[in-house]
Amino acid sequence: MTATTPGKLYLCATPIGNLDDITFRVLETLKNVDLIAAEDTRHSIKLLNHFEIKTPMTSYHEFNKIEKAEYLVGLMMAGTNVALITDAGTPGISDPGEELVKFCLEAGIEVTSLPGPAACITALTMSGLSTRRFCFEGFLPADKKERAVVLDRLKTETRTTVMYEAPHRLVKTLELLRPVLENRKIVFCKELTKKYEKRMAMTAEQALDFYRNNEPRGEYVLVVEGLDPKALVHARQAEWERMSVSEHVRMYMDQGMSKKEAMKKAAADRGIGKREIYQALLNEDK
């Protein structure tokens, strides 16, 4: 009796607005797999009908992602080939697809990703902001403590940051971003790849004034300008100067450095020699 060869998981990127953006490879895959797992079958049936794809569908979404992942893995272990699609864009980016990928890899099931549309990359490349170094934040966390950590990190983030936001939360998010970003530019992208695609560049303050008087509509991608590295250096320098030398050295020792290493790092921060740090510590102890 021969063992069954496991199936494969195909992550299929689907259009974020313009149906012409689907790739030939994705179309062929969706037609030839045994099952399509879709974030919202009611939404995805329109896509399948448009391209005359008759492959059976099943739901896979945030509220069934664990038990359904186990079920899908069982099917794939028995030889079923599964394609995963979201409502739009590339599966696994700010959606439960990442959970299914983890389950598959842990079970030894092969996973492949078929390149295609992704709102985060589309917005980034049309933003006009730096693309050399960027990070993706997705939606701000719902948990207050976790959100506070993310916002605190954004204060000193020098890379371009890409974020998602829903229209009903946009004003609240801007209220949180305003004191964090100050005058840094935010590029707002919506209706990407569609007829009424829009790109607007504003500060958080300007955006608040605008969206308090103009109801946000549609899903938004926010591309946030990184902090000027020179401004970051100046801010850190000012912070160090507010510390005593002993506080500065203790800060690094609390991070696990030896006293010698901490003194060397504090000296570099302050632009002075290690002997001056040593002498300052002696003077503070007197």
Side-chain angles (χ1 to χ4, degrees), residues 179-197:
V180 172
L181 301 180
E182 296 181 339
N183 292 320
R184 284 151 64 185
K185 185 187 297 183
I186 307 174
V187 178
F188 295 78
C189 298
K190 57 177 290 191
E191 299 297 305
L192 290 170
T193 76
K194 299 178 185 178
K195 182 178 180 180
Y196 297 107
E197 176 180 273

Side-chain angles (χ1 to χ4, degrees), residues 2-183:
T2 57
T4 301
T5 301
K8 189 173 178 178
L9 177 65
Y10 297 84
L11 306 177
C12 294
T14 54
I16 56 177
N18 191 321
L19 291 179
D20 289 342
D21 289 336
I22 201 162
T23 68
F24 290 121
R25 186 180 171 205
V26 165
L27 287 176
E28 283 302 306
T29 299
L30 293 178
K31 289 176 182 177
N32 293 319
V33 293
D34 303 301
L35 182 67
I36 297 172
E39 188 173 11
D40 185 338
T41 55
R42 296 166 301 179
H43 177 88
S44 295
I45 192 63
K46 300 172 186 177
L47 175 75
L48 300 191
N49 286 341
H50 180 82
F51 290 107
E52 300 181 347
I53 296 169
K54 307 298 183 183
T55 307
M57 265 197 303
T58 188
S59 65
Y60 177 77
H61 50 70
E62 182 65 29
F63 303 105
N64 71 356
K65 62 183 179 182
I66 302 301
E67 60 269 26
K68 199 57 174 284
E70 293 173 346
Y71 169 75
L72 292 171
V73 165
L75 291 180
M76 285 182 271
M77 291 299 291
T80 302
N81 288 311
V82 176
L84 177 66
I85 60 175
T86 62
D87 289 350
T90 300
I93 299 178
S94 280
D95 67 54
E98 64 177 305
E99 296 293 339
L100 182 56
V101 171
K102 290 176 186 176
F103 272 76
C104 286
L105 295 176
E106 287 170 1
I109 293 168
E110 186 177 354
V111 177
T112 188
S113 183
L114 283 60
C120 54
I121 297 300
T122 303
L124 173 67
T125 53
M126 66 184 281
S127 70
L129 300 179
S130 174
T131 60
R132 188 178 74 83
R133 296 175 64 247
F134 62 90
C135 58
F136 178 69
E137 194 57 58
F139 293 94
L140 281 179
D143 180 80
K144 286 185 178 181
K145 289 183 179 179
E146 189 180 352
R147 186 169 64 230
V149 170
V150 172
L151 291 170
D152 187 59
R153 192 164 59 233
L154 275 174
K155 288 180 183 178
T156 55
E157 180 57 76
T158 58
R159 296 170 296 179
T160 301
T161 301
V162 183
M163 306 171 67
Y164 288 163
E165 195 48 274
H168 64 281
R169 289 194 303 262
L170 184 62
V171 169
K172 175 63 177 176
T173 294
L174 289 171
E175 288 172 349
L176 294 170
L177 291 175
R178 177 173 54 179
V180 172
L181 301 180
E182 296 181 339
N183 292 320

